């Protein structure tokens, strides 16, 4: 189920979009100001963000700029009808698309589908590419992990966990999300399994080479950052 984040300060509009998206089978989260929306977008995994430009606390263009510092998460801007400058600024700033208010829900849904298809195609290409963080590299085709020229011996779970974190490099991923993606929805062992395997990875990937790539975000989860 694809997850969409709506960052929109007009609660009636946000609720209307949420109901339509849920009817189409998407999972939806909402934020009503830019600061809360940015926190969600950078600490939880989403497939797409619908981002209003005129927001309290932090405007949409600034939210977009900060998202783009660490992520290529697809963003569709919601703009005022005559805000041509905002559209140009948003697209130049990394937005994938924009739609003007008021809009027909059918058009919005079509733009969402088109953007998600583009993301899916890009991800298919990325999946075959080598993933790198500092001296650490992971080859998903050969299922090889190296630190410099040193080939590491990882179990399947360790490899899959590292692979997922590298795919989401610089994005904090919650323990619950890691548990669902690596162990599956029917796993009953609890989120401490994630902590255990993070320790395994640190003992194999970081400690022998003096690296610090795996970071704990207290109360949330884990993130891989370049040194």
């Amino acid at each position: 189920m694809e997850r969409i984040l709506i960052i929109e300060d007009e609660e009636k509009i946000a609720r209307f979009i949420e109901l339509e998206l849920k009817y189409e089978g998407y999972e939806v989260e909402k934020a009503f100001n830019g600061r809360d929306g940015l926190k969600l977008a950078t600490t939880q995994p989403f497939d797409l963000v619908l981002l209003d430009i005129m927001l309290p606390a932090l405007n949409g263009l600034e939210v977009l700029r900060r998202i783009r510092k660490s992520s290529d998460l697809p963003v569709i801007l919601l703009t005022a009808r005559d805000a041509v400058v905002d559209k140009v600024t948003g697209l130049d700033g990394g937005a994938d698309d924009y739609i003007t208010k008021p809009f027909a829900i059918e058009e919005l849904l079509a733009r969402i589908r088109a953007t998600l298809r583009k993301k899916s195609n890009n991800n298919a290409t990325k999946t075959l590419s080598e993933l790198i963080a500092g001296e650490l590299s992971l080859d998903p085709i050969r299922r090889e992990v190296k630190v410099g020229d040193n080939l590491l011996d990882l179990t399947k779970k360790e490899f899959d966990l590292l692979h997922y974190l590298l795919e989401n490099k610089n994005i904090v991923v919650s323990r619950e999300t890691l548990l669902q993606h690596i162990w599956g929805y029917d796993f009953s062992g609890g989120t401490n399994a994630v902590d255990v395997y993070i320790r395994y990875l640190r003992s194999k990937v970081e400690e022998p080479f003096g690296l610090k790539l795996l970071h704990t975000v207290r109360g949330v989860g884990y993130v891989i950052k370049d040194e």
Side-chain angles (χ1 to χ4, degrees), residues 37-83:
L38 177 63
K39 183 177 179 181
L40 284 171
T42 53
T43 60
Q44 295 188 26
F46 289 97
D47 296 288
L48 183 140
V49 176
L50 295 176
L51 176 61
D52 187 25
I53 288 181
M54 301 301 293
L55 291 169
L58 204 64
N59 74 63
L61 293 176
E62 179 61 18
V63 172
L64 173 64
R65 187 185 71 81
R66 297 191 189 187
I67 289 174
R68 283 292 170 263
K69 277 186 173 182
S70 61
S71 172
D72 59 359
L73 174 66
V75 175
I76 296 178
L77 292 177
L78 307 178
T79 75
R81 181 179 293 276
D82 58 352

Side-chain angles (χ1 to χ4, degrees), residues 200-217:
Y200 292 162
L201 284 177
R202 282 176 170 153
S203 70
K204 293 182 178 182
V205 174
E206 292 186 327
E207 293 169 8
F209 307 100
L211 302 180
K212 185 59 179 175
L213 300 170
L214 281 158
H215 299 268
T216 303
V217 179

Side-chain angles (χ1 to χ4, degrees), residues 143-159:
R143 292 187 68 87
E144 289 182 351
V145 176
K146 292 182 178 180
V147 174
D149 294 326
N150 300 284
L151 184 64
L152 307 187
D153 182 19
L154 301 186
T155 67
K156 181 181 184 303
K157 279 287 190 292
E158 291 166 352
F159 181 92

Side-chain angles (χ1 to χ4, degrees), residues 116-145:
L116 288 173
R117 280 197 301 271
K118 180 180 176 183
K119 180 198 175 194
S120 179
N121 291 337
N122 289 341
N123 283 348
T125 302
K126 285 182 180 178
T127 300
L128 302 177
S129 302
E130 187 177 55
L131 301 172
I132 296 173
E135 296 179 53
L136 173 67
S137 63
L138 181 148
D139 187 328
I141 298 176
R142 296 181 178 179
R143 292 187 68 87
E144 289 182 351
V145 176

